[in-house]
Each structure stands twice: as C-alpha cells, then as structure tokens.
Amino acid sequence: MIDQLLSVSTRNALSNLTETVAPGAAPAATGQSSFGNVLSQLAGSVSNKLEGAEAVSMKSMTSDVPTRDVVNAVMDAEQSLQTAIAIRDKIVQAYLEISRMPI
C-alpha cells in the first residue's frame, strides 16, 4: 500500500517537473540542446529509473531476484529523483530571484 502511494507521489513530482518545460519552446540552433530538451530528457530518465526500480521490486516478490539488485535499483532511482528535485528547486529559486529584480 505504501509503495503504491509512494509511486503515485513520485509520478506526480515527475509530472510537475516535466510541466516546467515549455511545450511550445523554439528549438535551439542545430547541434545544440535547448534547456527545455535537457529538462525533458532528465525527467524521462528519472521516470525510467523509477519504473525500473518498481519493476524489480515487484519481480522480487514473485520470483527469485537477489535483494542486492532490488536495493541497488531503488537507491539509484531515489538518487535520480533527489537530483531532479534539487534541479527543480534551483530553477524555481532562480525564477524567483529574476522576478524580484527591479526593472
């Protein structure tokens, strides 16, 4: 039950992170990634790691998966999520600083 709630909360956090990327942003020059694309790739990577860790956890309940593999997958996913949250917080902090600047 708690795992299902955690999964929902992490998915909500990821969807909030991907919402910060402007969907209609103009693409950057050829050969360069735009800021929105980088954030989108980050969110996709974190989402894939979370889904993988959840799959390994579920597989460990039904088959013989070593505990070490489960712990490694969950810790890797948690580290990725914490990184994504830290980046989101820095982006929000930068936005707030810019919005407070006098014109």
Side-chain angles (χ1 to χ4, degrees), residues 23-41:
T30 306
Q32 295 180 350
S33 297
S34 71
F35 184 66
N37 289 339
V38 171
L39 285 180
S40 179
Q41 290 172 359

Side-chain angles (χ1 to χ4, degrees), residues 74-94:
V74 170
M75 294 300 288
D76 188 33
E78 182 180 1
Q79 184 179 17
S80 295
L81 181 63
Q82 292 299 325
T83 302
I85 290 171
I87 291 170
R88 181 206 59 196
D89 291 345
K90 288 291 185 179
I91 291 170
V92 169
Q93 182 182 10

Side-chain angles (χ1 to χ4, degrees), residues 29-82:
T30 306
Q32 295 180 350
S33 297
S34 71
F35 184 66
N37 289 339
V38 171
L39 285 180
S40 179
Q41 290 172 359
L42 171 72
S45 172
V46 172
S47 177
N48 290 340
K49 285 185 180 184
L50 288 171
E51 289 172 359
E54 189 173 8
V56 170
S57 296
M58 292 299 175
K59 188 185 277 188
S60 72
M61 292 181 207
T62 59
S63 65
D64 191 26
V65 175
T67 306
R68 177 177 285 185
D69 292 344
V70 175
V71 171
N72 285 339
V74 170
M75 294 300 288
D76 188 33
E78 182 180 1
Q79 184 179 17
S80 295
L81 181 63
Q82 292 299 325

